[in-house]
């Protein structure tokens, strides 16, 4: 088993981008105001972020975007192929993201869940996460970007 959680989990390469977007679309994660290709390209070129994927033949079984801001870790775009959900892949991807952060010296991971995504809250609770009493505030700094 690799340091990430499974030898099958690797960093995404440029030619994986269309397959990742296909996975995110099928998993219901793409929003009109977030361009997935821009998000993937930006994360891939950052030294503080990575896109971890579980490739399977011509498709991508699961993905997670992981990164840190020099203090806390964060994950986005955790996705498992809808045909393969409930088989433990999501938990393995989160373990891989945690191990990636630990390898970067990060000791706490914060993540955000859309308020209408009740199912995923149970998933995170099952793998050891708990809700904290915080309000997330945000402001767009540029018109472009996602
Ligand atoms: C959320 C998601 C990544 C979970 O991946 P998964 O491979 O289906 O989950 P796993 O099989 O690894 O489940 C791990 C544990 O959580 C539980 N779990 C998973 N989904 C659950 C749900 N909807 N409700 C309750 N428990 C759930 C599993 O039963 C399992 O528990 P166990 O270890 O006691 O058996 C996947 O469902 C997904 O891609 N959803 C759509 C995209 C999404 O919402 N991403 C998250 C954005 S924040």
């Amino acid at each position: 088993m690799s340091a990430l959680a499974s030898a099958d989990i690797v960093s995404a390469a440029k030619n994986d981008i269309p397959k990742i977007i296909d996975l995110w679309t099928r998993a219901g994660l793409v929003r009109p105001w977030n361009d997935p290709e821009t998000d993937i390209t930006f994360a891939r070129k950052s030294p503080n972020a990575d896109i971890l994927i579980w490739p399977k033949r011509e498709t991508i079984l699961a993905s997670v975007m992981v990164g840190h801001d020099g203090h806390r870790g964060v994950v986005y775009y955790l996705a498992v192929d809808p045909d393969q959900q409930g088989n433990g892949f999501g938990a393995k991807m989160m373990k891989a993201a945690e191990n990636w952060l630990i390898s970067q010296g990060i000791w706490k991971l914060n993540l955000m869940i859309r308020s209408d995504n009740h199912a995923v809250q149970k998933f995170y609770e099952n793998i050891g996460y708990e809700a904290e009493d915080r309000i997330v505030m945000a402001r767009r700094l540029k018109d472009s970007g996602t």
Side-chain angles (χ1 to χ4, degrees), residues 13 18 26 47 52 82-83 89 95 103 105 107 125 139 143-145:
R26 292 189 302 113
L52 306 179
D83 295 335
F89 293 113
K95 184 53 75 181
S103 77
W107 58 95
E125 285 168 358
R139 178 177 179 225
D143 287 340
S144 58

Side-chain angles (χ1 to χ4, degrees), residues 47-145:
N48 294 338
D50 204 356
I51 312 260
L52 306 179
I53 56 168
W54 190 312
K56 192 177 179 199
R57 297 193 193 95
E58 294 309 304
T59 64
I60 308 265
L61 191 57
S63 76
V64 65
M65 179 187 287
V66 59
H68 71 85
D69 58 13
H71 179 53
R72 298 297 190 220
V74 66
V75 295
Y76 296 95
Y77 290 114
L78 175 68
V80 173
D81 184 324
D83 295 335
Q84 295 289 336
Q85 290 176 6
N87 292 323
F89 293 113
K92 286 201 175 92
M93 294 309 291
M94 283 302 296
K95 184 53 75 181
E98 291 167 4
N99 288 347
W100 186 95
L101 289 166
I102 289 167
S103 77
Q104 302 277 314
I106 297 293
W107 58 95
K108 186 177 180 192
L109 194 169
N110 294 333
L111 57 86
M112 291 182 285
I113 301 174
R114 290 183 192 281
S115 56
D116 58 357
N117 197 346
H118 303 292
V120 83
Q121 189 171 343
K122 295 281 178 219
F123 161 76
Y124 285 120
E125 285 168 358
N126 269 19
I127 61 167
Y129 287 73
E130 53 189 27
E132 289 191 336
D133 188 15
R134 305 283 187 276
I135 294 173
V136 175
M137 297 185 71
R139 178 177 179 225
R140 287 198 181 260
L141 303 178
K142 281 168 73 176
D143 287 340
S144 58

Side-chain angles (χ1 to χ4, degrees), residues 16-30 36-37 40 58-61 63 79-82:
D16 293 315
I17 292 176
K19 290 180 275 184
I20 297 170
I21 294 173
D22 178 62
L23 169 67
W24 291 0
T25 304
R26 292 189 302 113
L29 292 180
V30 174
E37 182 156 4
I40 295 166
E58 294 309 304
T59 64
I60 308 265
L61 191 57
S63 76
V80 173
D81 184 324

